[in-house]
Amino acid sequence: LRAYSALSSTATSFPQTHEKISKPEDTPYFIDNEFVGSKADKWIELHDPATNNLVTRVPQMTDAELEAVVASAQKAFPAWRNMSVLARQQIMFKFVNLVRENWDRLAASITLEQGKTFPDAKGDVLRGLQVAEAACGAPELLKGEVLEVAKDMETRSYKEPLGVVAAICPFNFPAMIPLWSIPIATVTGNTLIIKPSERDPGAAMILMELVKKAGFPEGVVNVVHGAHRTVDFILDAPEIKAVSFVGGNKAGEYIFTRGSANGKRVQANLGAKNHAAVLPDANKNHFINSVVGAAFGAAGQRCMALSTLVMVGETKEWLNEVAESAKQLTINGGFEPGADLGPVISPQSKERIESLIASAEAEGATILLDGRGAKPPGAQYANGNWVGPTIITNVTTDMKCYTEEIFGPVLVCLNVDTLDEAIDLINANEYGNGTAIFTRSGATAESFRRNIEAGQVGINVPIPVPLPMFSFTGNKKSIAGGGANTFYGRPGINFYTQQKTVTTMWSSADAISKKADVSMPTHS
Ligand code: NAD
């Protein structure tokens, strides 16, 4: 078993290397604050994307194990919800400090399993940590409302926890996305079961060590593993009251439908195709630096990656300079100093990305910069899943490279003549996660802001992911259920709580009517 608790004494140490592990150990699950080896007969192999060396095996947990985890979370719920919010806040303070102390260790685990560069992995951890920091404000965030609705009568509202809740996570942010749920689900009084991505659960497992150290009681936070089967178990377990999902549309739409049909609350953030409109009055240098970072950082495997450029008027002439800048990026193992982008997650993903580039070529687009065949130097990385920065120009909206989410280091570029055409093109896209505009004109930016339909808008900001005092507000096909349940911020608190309203009357005996009133009370 990978010895998570043993590593905790050396908080900052985690081998920062892609060297082959001589004896890969299996990933345990986490129940009752203990790491336990699964008795599964099916295991999912996890390979370092930079080398394809085996890192660990992740179990497809058995039904009996999954049932035990649900029972543990259910057993922990009454005491946890009855603990004062101030006591839960104290645990959250400790958890926040521990995540900060273990920042490098968490990031190193991400670089090893997911592939992103170490500095980028540190950002992954920080963005999640900030959600935990915001959750420390729970006593304020959980306050209800009160109104004196009539003489002697008042109504007050309470935010109460739901019970056992679950979070199903994607591979691309192994720390941040579990941390969209752990702090908010628990500080509001729920107990939680996390299913990290089977492709990189290491960061979530380190977080469990910190959960235990921070003083979360047994059963409050748990980790289960597996793929489709584990997801189905979560969706069908009647004890689980709500499901948070982040991932692609295929899984997400299925999870939203099946979870909702089973009477659960579901929040589900899905795929994306984020466009930037580039205006001739933009600061060209700022635009080039922004787009190269946002398109190719994390090898394009961010749901807010800027993957599509809409070049207005003569700005199409700038694309050669974008390509020159992209060529300067270094692909390499994520621990190597100076690496700008690491590998993509799997050989299948590399193949899919390369076939989408090939389809663009076949459909008449121009491959201005071709990352196929790119490889870092050194025999160690010969088998990694490498795709270099790729820029496809003269793209039209009917091409496959435009209609599909590529989720790799590929930037597709379309040309239009006016701002209105750019807005129409972006609005016609079925996804609505994020968008950006590059311009120096306040009036242009304001018109874009008002008329654009995507849910997260950057004005000269390429990846406008809101901090946790706001909420993650993608829309259209990028979120299930019409976006009613968004992650973190006040809506996140609302997702993990149900409201109870209590109406009270305390009147003196004289004021109480002598006769029953059978009409609907209106208090008017
Ligand atoms: P994915 O949908 O393949 O997997 C996500 C989770 O769902 C995993 O835990 C996986 O085990 C499970 N899963 C996968 N297929 C399933 C199926 N058929 N039935 C049931 N469960 C299934 O996503 P991924 O490849 O891990 O992550 C990348 C995707 O996530 C991209 O589409 C990206 O845009 C999206 N994403 C969205 C956001 C957002 O906030 N909108 C954030 C991050 C990632």
Side-chain angles (χ1 to χ4, degrees):
L1 282 193
R2 296 176 90 188
Y4 288 98
S5 33
L7 281 171
S8 61
S9 51
T10 51
T12 50
S13 73
F14 187 100
Q16 294 187 14
T17 167
H18 292 286
E19 271 168 35
K20 196 168 178 158
I21 300 168
S22 56
K23 280 195 193 131
E25 290 164 347
D26 292 340
T27 294
Y29 63 102
F30 189 72
I31 176 172
D32 288 334
N33 278 356
E34 297 299 336
F35 294 95
V36 178
S38 171
K39 305 227 173 354
D41 52 18
K42 270 184 82 181
W43 293 79
I44 302 152
E45 290 196 343
L46 189 161
H47 297 97
D48 175 350
T51 60
N52 274 309
N53 292 332
L54 184 67
V55 172
T56 182
R57 294 188 318 158
V58 182
Q60 171 51 66
M61 284 172 60
T62 65
D63 282 359
E65 289 167 345
L66 295 168
E67 278 158 17
V69 172
V70 172
S72 162
Q74 211 181 9
K75 185 165 160 237
F77 176 63
W80 179 244
R81 79 149 294 177
N82 287 331
M83 187 184 275
S84 79
V85 65
L86 292 177
R88 293 201 297 261
Q89 184 195 36
Q90 288 301 320
I91 293 174
M92 198 54 63
F93 283 138
K94 285 193 195 129
F95 182 65
V96 160
N97 284 332
L98 285 163
V99 173
R100 204 169 270 282
E101 277 171 26
N102 285 268
W103 192 350
D104 279 6
R105 210 176 132 222
L106 283 156
S109 144
I110 294 171
T111 299
L112 178 67
E113 294 188 354
Q114 197 272 355
K116 65 177 74 172
T117 67
F118 185 67
D120 192 31
K122 288 196 74 168
D124 183 330
V125 178
L126 180 63
R127 274 303 184 110
L129 173 59
Q130 288 166 336
V131 177
E133 288 170 342
C136 291
E140 184 63 30
L141 295 165
L142 282 170
K143 273 186 189 165
E145 293 175 316
V146 60
L147 177 69
E148 193 176 74
V149 289
K151 183 173 174 299
D152 299 333
M153 181 177 280
E154 66 177 30
T155 299
R156 62 179 66 222
S157 65
Y158 297 82
K159 292 179 198 290
E160 299 190 340
L162 305 175
V164 181
V165 298
I168 300 165
C169 305
F171 82 84
N172 66 329
F173 281 98
M176 178 181 85
I177 289 177
L179 285 167
W180 280 4
S181 284
I182 297 169
I184 306 183
T186 58
V187 87
T188 47
N190 302 283
T191 57
L192 173 66
I193 298 169
I194 298 178
K195 193 202 87 62
S197 171
E198 65 277 22
R199 301 197 258 185
D200 48 21
M205 300 317 293
I206 295 174
L207 289 172
M208 290 311 100
E209 226 187 83
L210 310 183
V211 154
K212 182 174 181 175
K213 271 191 142 182
F216 281 91
E218 288 174 12
V220 172
V221 190
N222 311 273
V223 169
V224 297
H225 296 295
H228 196 137
R229 216 173 111 83
T230 303
V231 169
D232 282 350
F233 179 90
I234 290 171
L235 297 175
D236 294 344
E239 302 86 351
I240 297 176
K241 303 298 177 204
V243 175
S244 301
F245 169 84
V246 180
N249 281 68
K250 184 165 172 260
E253 285 162 19
Y254 166 75
I255 286 167
F256 184 82
T257 306
R258 185 155 168 174
S260 304
N262 285 338
K264 300 182 199 307
R265 256 183 212 194
V266 185
Q267 58 178 176
N269 273 8
L270 313 177
K273 194 85 181 173
N274 306 311
H275 296 58
V278 189
L279 276 290
D281 67 351
N283 177 325
K284 187 164 70 168
N285 264 344
H286 174 67
F287 152 68
I288 292 173
N289 290 334
S290 301
V291 76
V292 168
F296 305 121
Q301 298 172 116
R302 294 182 184 131
C303 65
M304 285 291 278
L306 204 46
S307 59
T308 310
L309 291 184
V310 186
M311 308 304 287
V312 180
E314 72 255 31
T315 64
K316 58 180 173 290
E317 310 299 335
W318 299 355
L319 289 172
N320 284 329
E321 286 173 74
V322 175
E324 281 311 310
S325 172
K327 268 189 212 164
Q328 309 305 316
L329 297 178
T330 304
I331 59 165
N332 212 340
F335 292 121
E336 303 289 349
D340 292 307
L341 57 151
V344 297
I345 188 70
S346 63
Q348 295 75 7
S349 174
K350 172 181 155 83
E351 204 176 289
R352 200 184 53 81
I353 294 164
E354 290 181 344
S355 80
L356 282 165
I357 300 170
S359 78
E361 216 169 12
E363 288 179 300
T366 309
I367 313 296
L368 182 62
L369 180 64
D370 193 345
R372 287 172 294 180
K375 240 180 206 165
Q380 186 185 8
Y381 299 121
N383 294 327
N385 315 317
W386 304 104
V387 184
T390 300
I391 299 178
I392 310 177
T393 59
N394 298 316
V395 171
T396 50
T397 53
D398 53 340
M399 293 180 183
K400 210 170 159 198
C401 68
Y402 178 78
T403 53
E404 283 196 21
E405 180 182 29
I406 301 178
F407 222 58
V410 181
L411 179 63
V412 303
C413 310
L414 301 91
N415 304 323
V416 296
D417 292 325
T418 64
L419 173 68
D420 286 346
E421 282 177 56
I423 292 173
D424 288 347
L425 188 153
I426 297 171
N427 285 348
N429 191 277
E430 51 190 357
Y431 291 104
N433 218 30
T435 188
I437 183 168
F438 290 89
T439 177
R440 281 195 177 97
S441 157
T444 302
E446 184 52 16
S447 168
F448 185 80
R449 193 276 302 164
R450 176 175 279 274
N451 293 307
I452 208 70
E453 287 168 10
Q456 305 181 97
V457 181
I459 295 173
N460 299 314
V461 173
I463 305 184
V465 179
L467 286 165
M469 54 297 280
F470 293 89
S471 199
F472 192 99
T473 54
N475 66 19
K476 296 178 12 188
K477 202 178 154 182
S478 296
I479 189 164
N485 295 321
T486 59
F487 281 79
Y488 62 80
R490 281 183 191 276
I493 296 278
N494 291 342
F495 177 74
Y496 283 123
T497 55
Q498 54 197 338
Q499 291 215 51
K500 182 181 278 173
T501 52
V502 178
T503 299
T504 317
M505 186 177 74
W506 295 110
S507 306
S508 64
D510 295 349
I512 293 176
S513 163
K514 303 278 183 289
K515 186 172 179 296
D517 186 350
V518 291
S519 37
M520 184 71 187
T522 58
H523 311 306
S524 51

